[in-house]
Amino acid sequence: MLFGIWYRLKALEGLVHPTYGNTMYHTGIIRAIVETGFMPVYDLSYGGFTKSFYVPAYRLFTASVSSLSGTDPIVSAGLMVVALGAVSICAIYLLGKEFGGPWAGACCAILFVLSPELTIYTIRPFPEVLGVPMLLLALYFVKKQDLGMAVLASVLTALTHQTSAAVLGSVLLVYSVLARDKKAAVALLSMFVAYFAWQLYALNSLDIFSMRQIALKESGKITLMHVERIGLFALLAAPIGAIKAVKKRHWLLASFAIAALLLAKNEWLGIGIFNDRLFTFLALAVVVLGGVGLAELGKMWGEAK
Amino acid sequence: MNIGVLEFASFAAAFAFLFLAPGYALLRKKKYALPELAARAFAISAGVVLVESFLLASFVGLSALSLAVVVGATAMLFFRSASPG
């Protein structure tokens, strides 16, 4: 946890923000919310005449903390990376613990902190920094069969980050079918309703296929470099975790891996969009599998001694 | 980025403040281990902040919509209880 927090403090080292990625696109809107008290319906970039299709939770959450503390929105967005990084580590520990005990949780947390792919994704002030922990918490509450919290976390994921929501929705769909879990189906339905209610409000349309990024098939190719960035230990231990998931009938973990793989390689389904972004969630699934696998290896080694 | 101690402390206090009410309520209701308590408190806080921001500050339109839903639901309940049988 301390290492993860220390590493995320680098989010504060830039003159303004880490300049790679369009971080100011989001921080600009956070500043506008803090200064006006209203969320801009239109994007601030490109002349400000296109409606914003981004879901609002991350921006509202950061703006709320900024207003409450009186901290500058840019500084708040940087500090939010650190605070939500700690929440992510806590969330992946809890999820890993559900599949293989406290050691598995600890291994998942360590692999999460050490994974370059996940670090790149969660070290910049983007909606992802809230989307990743909300996704993990939603899966945790589904595993705990806590319907109220699962619905809450799923709805929050849907309203935080579209890519995280697509992954969570796919995992819940696969899991509902594999395990015939009604609570997961209810969580899926609730996030579906929440997302489309927002889209109807923000864009006056339920059509997701006409959104620019989808219509233009925005995507980056997955290369060997992406795979290496998951982390060596996670990659090596993940097959053991996968075997345990099947043997112990951890259908939620299996569904996470299946759905993340199908989404990252969605060109297999004839879609071919956001491959590199969705790949990060495959890395997240591999890290959870790897953590469970490492703990299992430790257990086997302890028994052999 | 220059961040003063006061600014950092102020942010940390505001972030922790969000956890206080749900964390306290959960502590009273059921004994959870610290990570689980934090996770639940965080999810509830994030939900409360989102709803509060939606309804009170950011979305006048949605606020009116939610008011219409509440009025509509109350009216439905009223007419249902008033109808014979």
Side-chain angles (χ1 to χ4, degrees):
Chain A
M1 176 72 91
L2 285 176
F3 182 78
I5 289 172
W6 170 77
Y7 204 80
R8 277 160 182 77
L9 285 172
K10 289 181 188 304
L12 305 168
E13 282 180 2
L15 184 63
V16 181
H17 272 325
T19 48
Y20 47 96
N22 46 358
T23 50
M24 293 305 276
Y25 173 77
H26 296 282
T27 311
I29 288 189
I30 292 166
R31 181 177 284 285
I33 298 169
V34 171
E35 288 181 354
T36 65
F38 287 87
M39 173 125 173
V41 181
Y42 287 87
D43 271 337
L44 300 179
S45 51
Y46 302 114
F49 58 84
T50 48
K51 282 203 154 189
S52 180
F53 60 87
Y54 271 92
V55 274
Y58 162 75
R59 295 160 172 189
L60 288 173
F61 192 60
T62 309
S64 298
V65 178
S66 176
S67 296
L68 188 63
S69 63
T71 316
D72 184 86
I74 293 180
V75 175
S76 291
L79 287 169
M80 200 57 100
V81 170
V82 183
L84 294 177
V87 176
S88 296
I89 295 165
C90 179
I92 201 162
Y93 164 79
L94 284 170
L95 186 63
K97 197 173 97 166
E98 284 302 304
F99 296 123
W103 282 109
C107 289
C108 290
I110 291 167
L111 293 178
F112 176 83
V113 171
L114 293 179
S115 168
E117 176 71 20
L118 295 172
T119 303
I120 293 165
Y121 208 66
T122 58
I123 202 174
R124 293 170 289 164
F126 279 145
E128 290 90 303
V129 295
L130 182 58
V132 167
M134 286 321 310
L135 164 80
L136 292 168
L137 288 178
L139 294 179
Y140 169 69
F141 292 129
V142 167
K143 183 76 176 75
K144 293 290 273 188
Q145 290 287 292
D146 187 335
L147 180 63
M149 292 301 292
V151 167
L152 175 66
S154 302
V155 167
L156 280 170
T157 310
L159 294 176
T160 298
H161 184 221
Q162 273 105 333
T163 317
S164 306
V167 175
L168 178 61
S170 307
V171 176
L172 292 177
L173 180 65
V174 174
Y175 179 62
S176 307
V177 174
L178 274 182
R180 297 183 189 281
D181 188 326
K182 284 180 186 160
K183 288 180 179 173
V186 172
L188 173 63
L189 187 68
S190 61
M191 70 182 290
F192 198 76
V193 170
Y195 176 75
F196 281 103
W198 157 259
Q199 193 176 305
L200 195 62
Y201 169 75
L203 300 178
N204 305 118
S205 164
L206 292 174
D207 180 13
I208 55 168
F209 297 104
S210 62
M211 284 161 76
R212 272 170 312 184
Q213 289 174 307
I214 295 177
L216 296 172
K217 291 211 166 195
E218 193 174 303
S219 182
K221 203 178 171 195
I222 297 169
T223 61
L224 188 61
M225 181 190 73
H226 287 87
V227 179
E228 286 171 351
R229 283 200 319 220
I230 294 174
L232 184 64
F233 287 107
L235 282 169
L236 288 174
I240 301 163
I243 291 167
K244 184 176 177 182
V246 174
K247 274 176 76 176
K248 296 274 181 183
R249 293 176 179 269
H250 289 316
W251 295 127
L252 187 61
L253 184 53
S255 306
F256 190 12
I258 293 167
L261 178 65
L262 285 177
L263 281 173
K265 296 297 288 176
N266 61 54
E267 69 267 27
W268 292 345
L269 307 172
I271 302 170
I273 52 169
F274 298 142
N275 298 82
D276 52 341
R277 295 182 195 191
L278 289 161
F279 178 79
T280 308
F281 293 91
L282 178 60
L284 196 60
V286 170
V287 158
V288 178
L289 284 172
V292 173
L294 268 185
E296 192 63 19
L297 266 180
K299 198 171 145 193
M300 283 156 62
W301 187 56
E303 281 167 3
K305 270 178 82 181
Chain B
M1 200 185 296
N2 287 321
I3 303 171
V5 176
L6 200 63
E7 211 168 9
F8 186 82
S10 175
F11 176 88
F15 195 80
F17 178 77
L18 294 177
F19 286 76
L20 273 183
Y24 179 69
L26 287 169
L27 258 181
R28 277 177 65 92
K29 193 183 164 203
K30 205 173 171 185
K31 205 166 186 177
Y32 290 113
L34 187 63
E36 185 162 5
L37 181 79
R40 284 170 186 272
F42 176 75
I44 293 169
S45 299
V48 170
V49 168
L50 184 66
V51 171
E52 171 266 326
S53 322
F54 255 147
L55 299 184
L56 297 181
S58 303
F59 296 99
V60 177
L62 196 63
S63 182
L65 179 69
S66 59
L67 192 67
V69 170
V70 172
V71 171
T74 315
M76 266 179 66
L77 281 172
F78 176 78
F79 286 118
R80 217 175 139 192
S81 59
S83 64

